[in-house]
């Protein structure tokens, strides 16, 4: 017979191990507590203060003073537990500022930090007693837990957006921010571990749609975002794989219908998805920092093409579209200048189209870029004019040579008296400022006739030609005399070339 003690120990070896481990842990914890107490007792007061600051630094974000992410996660644990016990509902809101980067670029990083601090203050104060927790999660990302169901979540999102939208005074001027907000309600939109991630996903879907708004989490968002992530990955490789091409759409003289210029419009030939519209991938490129490289390619390619046309005896200006992000880039004008030089294209042959909303931003950086473009001798054209509600005074400040009436006014011309009055006023105002006026999106002869009668200088639109390859444009410009530019008189072969119709409505 085995001794009782030994057999008990053998049978309960596992239990003994657990007890031993637990005692060790207890000893360690008590030692830790003792050490901390000892440290605090023996530390000089200044070191104690420093230690408290360091302790709170681990929990608080230094710049904004808001709790940091670990604190937020703890608060979320607690809020979910309480919600399970008491049946009360809660929402997580994920806020991402849309344009802090441009504030940093326009005003400098120190001012950017001040704007961020002020915005964080406003965000944290905007929800009142509904807030359970507020946190700065990352650089310009914040998260909130609020009491209540989905309707309360939506209301909180509106309050947060309104807080961000208030202009922030900085260096005697104003910074204007907007934000994208995702909402995940508990328990409808996920379990505890999924809540913050799902709110972030909803925020990203708002970004995807252009930012400046809020959305509730929806399980389908994951698929859409994955699709977007794939597209982004392909976009990163598109330059290397030479998948971009410039198409050109002529601008014609309103009276003679002679071609005066060609606007370069980028196309992406995706190996699987076919031709992808710039309206889809340019915003993506802007958001993920690819616009600089793509924009540089456009500048170089347009200059190369302008030189090739000149060498072939074709005299016309070439226009490129510049994004606001490019204008804020370092040395954009220097790079344009170098490409013009390399291809021996006189600067006055190049037009840079910049949308009205970007042109009117009036930050130091955009003003400098405009001024340098003017000095270089490149023409600046204000694109999509009429949508941005600019004043006459602000227009006068810009060193622009051309103004393009937005398609929205042109397409209503023949049917809408207001559109006619606006177009007429734009033409008169632009002429009084010495600007050349182009109407874009001209599709009907009735529109053309009205625009000519109003005194528009140049016209552009499907009535004359769709965007087409450089080769097709050369044929079009050389072979089709002005008498053909009325619309339906294209040669069949050319017309086929002028139909990149996968893109055009
Ligand atoms: P946008 O600069 O306002 O260009 C005019 C757009 O209207 C073009 O669309 C053109 O194909 C289309 N269009 C021209 N005439 C007509 C017409 O008569 N009827 C209709 N319905 N549409 C007409 P696209 O080529 O898809 O370009 C869309 C936008 O993408 C451009 O608007 C521009 O903002 C941007 N984009 C295109 N290429 C570039 C580029 O190289 N760089 C940058 N930053 N943006 C570009
Ligand atoms: Ca344009
Ligand atoms: Ca336009």
């Amino acid at each position: 017979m085995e001794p009782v003690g030994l057999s008990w120990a053998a049978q309960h070896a596992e239990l003994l191990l657990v007890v031993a481990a637990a005692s060790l842990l207890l000893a360690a914890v008590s030692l830790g507590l003792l050490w901390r107490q000892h440290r605090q007792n023996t530390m000089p007061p200044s070191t104690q203060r420093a230690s408290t600051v360091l302790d709170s630094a681990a929990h608080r974000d230094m710049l904004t003073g808001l709790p940091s992410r670990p604190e937020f996660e703890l608060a979320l644990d607690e809020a979910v537990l309480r919600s399970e016990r008491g049946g009360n509902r809660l929402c997580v809101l994920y806020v991402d500022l849309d344009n802090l980067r441009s504030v940093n670029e326009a005003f400098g990083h120190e001012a950017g930090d001040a704007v961020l601090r002020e915005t964080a203050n406003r965000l944290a104060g905007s929800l009142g007693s509904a807030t359970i927790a507020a946190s700065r999660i990352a650089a310009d990302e914040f998260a909130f837990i609020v009491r209540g169901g989905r309707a309360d979540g939506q209301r909180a999102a509106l309050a947060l957006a309104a807080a961000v939208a208030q202009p922030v005074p900085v260096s005697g001027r104003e910074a204007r921010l907007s934000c994208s907000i995702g909402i995940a309600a508990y328990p409808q939109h996920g379990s505890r571990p999924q809540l913050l991630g799902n709110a972030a996903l909803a925020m990203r879907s708002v970004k995807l749609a252009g930012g400046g708004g809020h959305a509730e989490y929806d399980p389908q968002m994951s698929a859409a975002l994955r699709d977007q992530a794939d597209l982004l990955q392909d976009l990163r490789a598109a330059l290397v794989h030479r998948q971009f091409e410039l198409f050109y759409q002529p601008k014609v003289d309103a009276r003679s219908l002679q071609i005066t210029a060609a606007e370069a419009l980028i196309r992406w030939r995706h190996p699987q998805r076919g031709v992808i519209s710039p309206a889809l991938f340019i915003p993506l490129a802007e958001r993920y920092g690819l616009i600089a490289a793509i924009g540089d390619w456009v500048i170089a390619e347009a200059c190369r093409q302008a030189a090739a046309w000149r060498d072939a005896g074709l005299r016309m200006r070439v226009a490129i579209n510049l994004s606001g992000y490019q204008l804020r880039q370092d040395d954009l004008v220097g790079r344009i200048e170098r490409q013009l030089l390399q291809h021996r294209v006189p600067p006055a042959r190049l037009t840079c189209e910049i949308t009205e909303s970007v042109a009117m931003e009036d930050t130091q950086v955009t003003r400098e870029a405009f001024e340098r473009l003017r000095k270089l001798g490149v023409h600046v054209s204000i694109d999509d004019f009429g949508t941005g509600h600019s004043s006459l005074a602000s227009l006068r400040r810009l060193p622009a040579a051309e103004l393009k009436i937005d398609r929205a006014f042109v397409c209503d011309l023949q049917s809408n008296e207001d559109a006619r009055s606006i177009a007429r006023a734009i033409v008169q105002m632009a002429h009084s400022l010495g600007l050349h006026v182009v109407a874009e999106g001209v599709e009907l002869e009735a529109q053309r006739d009205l625009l000519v009668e109003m005194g528009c200088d140049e016209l552009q639109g499907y009535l004359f030609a769709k965007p087409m390859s450089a080769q097709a444009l050369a044929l079009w410009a050389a072979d089709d005399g002005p008498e053909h530019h009325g619309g339906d008189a294209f040669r069949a072969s050319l017309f086929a070339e002028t139909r990149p119709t996968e893109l055009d409505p």
Side-chain angles (χ1 to χ4, degrees), residues 412-477:
D412 280 352
L413 271 185
Q414 73 291 354
S415 57
N416 183 322
E417 177 59 41
D418 284 346
R420 275 198 292 278
S421 310
I422 293 171
R424 205 180 296 280
I426 293 177
V427 175
Q428 281 169 4
M429 179 192 72
H431 280 164
S432 74
L433 292 173
L435 294 170
H436 211 68
V437 185
V438 182
E440 63 179 2
V442 184
E443 293 184 358
L444 304 171
E445 291 180 3
Q447 295 165 347
R448 175 196 61 195
D449 295 344
L450 278 163
L451 290 159
V452 170
E453 180 254 313
M454 285 174 194
C456 239
D457 303 292
E458 289 176 40
L459 307 173
Q460 193 182 19
Y462 293 172
L463 177 66
F464 311 99
K466 288 189 169 178
M468 56 185 114
S469 69
Q471 195 190 8
L473 187 94
L475 286 172
W476 188 86

Side-chain angles (χ1 to χ4, degrees), residues 251 263-265 320-321 353-355 383-384 404 440 460:
K251 297 178 186 174
E263 176 183 0
L265 293 158
I320 55 173
N321 290 282
E353 298 193 2
I354 297 165
T355 61
D383 206 352
D384 301 344
K404 293 181 83 172
E440 63 179 2
Q460 193 182 19

Side-chain angles (χ1 to χ4, degrees), residues 139-465:
D140 57 352
E141 296 173 19
F142 301 86
F144 299 85
I145 310 170
V146 297
R147 274 177 257 280
R150 291 163 66 177
D152 299 286
Q154 304 260 355
R155 255 196 298 281
L158 289 175
L160 291 168
V164 171
Q166 290 295 318
V168 183
V170 49
S171 328
R173 284 188 287 153
E174 282 183 340
R176 285 174 189 275
L177 292 176
S178 69
C179 61
S180 305
I181 305 175
I183 309 170
Y186 182 79
Q188 296 96 324
H189 295 145
S191 62
R192 158 66 188 96
Q194 299 163 328
L195 269 185
L196 189 62
N198 286 352
L201 207 68
M203 177 278 288
R204 278 207 287 283
S205 83
V206 174
K207 285 254 180 234
L208 208 76
H214 65 267
E216 270 190 352
Y217 170 74
D218 177 330
Q220 283 178 342
M221 283 171 174
S222 317
L225 281 166
R226 210 170 313 119
D227 194 49
Q228 198 71 19
D230 288 347
L231 198 66
L232 182 62
Q233 203 173 353
D234 294 347
L235 189 58
R236 289 189 203 281
L239 265 179
V240 181
H241 296 134
R242 298 166 172 270
Q243 289 163 357
F244 292 121
E245 185 182 350
L246 288 185
F247 267 37
Y248 295 87
Q249 186 180 33
K251 297 178 186 174
V252 301
D253 182 273
R255 263 159 260 280
S256 70
L257 299 183
Q258 298 263 1
I259 184 166
T260 53
E263 176 183 0
L265 293 158
I266 192 168
R267 300 290 178 258
W268 177 16
R269 292 191 191 283
H270 190 282
Q272 281 88 38
R273 303 184 194 214
V275 183
I276 299 181
S277 160
L280 201 102
F281 72 83
I282 291 286
L284 199 65
E286 291 180 332
R287 213 166 310 133
Y288 293 96
L290 303 172
I291 192 66
I294 296 176
D296 282 350
W297 177 83
V298 170
I299 294 165
E301 175 59 17
C303 288
R304 188 198 62 74
Q305 189 59 60
W309 279 330
R310 175 206 56 211
D311 294 345
L314 214 62
R315 285 184 56 85
M316 60 186 172
R317 315 173 50 75
V318 172
I320 55 173
N321 290 282
L322 292 183
S323 132
Y325 287 79
Q326 281 175 278
L327 274 192
R328 288 184 230 109
Q329 240 178 295
D330 253 4
D331 198 33
L332 167 77
V333 184
R335 268 168 301 137
I336 293 177
E337 185 174 15
R338 282 191 288 280
Q339 287 302 325
L340 289 168
L341 267 173
Q342 181 178 336
H343 296 283
R344 292 181 297 111
V345 176
R349 276 290 179 84
L350 184 73
T351 300
C352 291
E353 298 193 2
I354 297 165
T355 61
E356 179 192 7
S357 52
V358 170
M360 295 300 161
E361 266 177 13
D362 191 33
T363 60
Q364 193 180 338
V365 182
T366 49
R367 261 195 311 247
E368 275 170 18
F370 268 103
E371 194 46 38
R372 287 194 58 200
L373 282 172
R374 190 191 60 80
K375 275 203 190 120
L376 177 60
V378 163
H379 285 199
V380 170
S381 169
I382 312 293
D383 206 352
D384 301 344
F385 190 82
T387 53
H389 316 286
S390 323
S391 65
L392 188 66
S394 53
L395 202 59
R396 183 176 288 141
R397 265 204 321 266
L398 292 174
E402 177 182 286
L403 182 152
K404 293 181 83 172
I405 305 179
D406 192 68
R407 183 153 63 87
F409 300 107
V410 174
C411 73
D412 280 352
L413 271 185
Q414 73 291 354
S415 57
N416 183 322
E417 177 59 41
D418 284 346
R420 275 198 292 278
S421 310
I422 293 171
R424 205 180 296 280
I426 293 177
V427 175
Q428 281 169 4
M429 179 192 72
H431 280 164
S432 74
L433 292 173
L435 294 170
H436 211 68
V437 185
V438 182
E440 63 179 2
V442 184
E443 293 184 358
L444 304 171
E445 291 180 3
Q447 295 165 347
R448 175 196 61 195
D449 295 344
L450 278 163
L451 290 159
V452 170
E453 180 254 313
M454 285 174 194
C456 239
D457 303 292
E458 289 176 40
L459 307 173
Q460 193 182 19
Y462 293 172
L463 177 66
F464 311 99

